[in-house]
Amino acid sequence: GMGDADVSGAGAGPASGVQEQLSAFADAHAQMFDSALVQFKTLYGEARASLYADAMGFVHAVDLTERWLTALLAFHVALFLSIVATRHSTNAQGVLFLGIVIAIYTAEWLNGLGAARWESFAGQNYFDKHGVFMSVLWSAPLLGDAFLVIVLALRSTANLLVTVKRLELRQNRRAASSAAGPTNDRQKDD
């Protein structure tokens, strides 16, 4: 009887020490997680506010009444409408996609050209060395258009695949019915 109490008492000491260590470890990790979550929420809130402020600053800095900016926006609208209008023409979509890719590739060169000659066509210099303006008003819409062309091509490919598969199934049914002979047709009618 007495030996059993000693064994359980001796076993309880180390087991309870391990439990205390695990509990302390879990508490420390919970505190670290809570701290990281608070920091993330703070940084996210600051970043969101900063992003909004930067976006509004950009919008207010760009004078969309300038003739060349209106022409640029009209170009993007016309390109988008061209993509939609030619969605059933694979060749036209291919040409548009190639043109879009080339236009995106020239963004850096166009930014340099704009920075060198902005006084002749703009009221202020929009062409910084990082190309933010060109990225926002030139490359981003073009990337969106390129993505649209790819989505339309995938849609066309999927529709073509469905059509081919239906024709294949129809041909297989005809081949099976002609191989079975006319007796099967009479049995089906009965």
Side-chain angles (χ1 to χ4, degrees):
M2 186 76 158
D4 290 339
D6 289 334
V7 171
S8 65
S16 111
V18 169
Q19 285 178 339
E20 288 174 12
Q21 287 178 346
L22 286 175
S23 178
F25 183 74
D27 289 343
H29 279 282
Q31 288 174 355
M32 285 183 353
F33 179 76
D34 289 343
S35 173
L37 188 60
V38 167
Q39 286 178 346
F40 174 76
K41 285 180 179 179
T42 302
L43 289 174
Y44 174 73
E46 291 171 4
R48 193 168 144 200
S50 175
L51 178 64
Y52 179 76
D54 290 345
M56 296 305 350
F58 183 84
V59 167
H60 293 299
V62 175
D63 182 10
L64 293 176
T65 62
E66 289 190 43
R67 186 178 231 166
W68 74 277
L69 285 173
T70 305
L72 179 63
L73 294 176
F75 163 76
H76 286 304
V77 169
L79 180 60
F80 176 79
L81 293 175
S82 297
I83 291 168
V84 172
T86 62
R87 68 187 175 276
H88 298 296
S89 173
T90 305
N91 291 339
Q93 292 280 295
V95 169
L96 286 171
F97 185 77
L98 182 62
I100 290 168
V101 170
I102 290 169
I104 292 170
Y105 182 76
T106 64
E108 187 176 355
W109 176 78
L110 288 171
N111 189 60
L113 187 65
R117 303 199 177 151
W118 68 269
E119 288 112 350
S120 64
F121 62 90
Q124 60 180 315
N125 187 1
Y126 295 105
F127 306 96
D128 65 326
K129 66 180 180 178
H130 301 292
V132 173
F133 175 81
M134 286 298 287
S135 295
V136 172
L137 287 182
W138 179 255
S139 297
L142 289 173
L143 286 170
D145 289 340
F147 182 73
L148 178 61
V149 170
I150 290 170
V151 167
L152 291 172
L154 289 173
R155 181 175 166 245
S156 176
T157 302
N159 289 338
L160 186 60
L161 182 62
V162 168
T163 302
V164 167
K165 203 60 172 165
R166 283 181 182 158
L167 291 173
E168 182 183 336
L169 290 171
R170 191 176 298 147
Q171 184 179 6
N172 288 344
R173 276 185 285 190
R174 286 182 187 156
S177 68
S178 66
T183 56
N184 270 351
D185 290 339
R186 281 189 232 141
Q187 290 174 349
K188 285 182 186 173
D189 291 339
D190 293 339

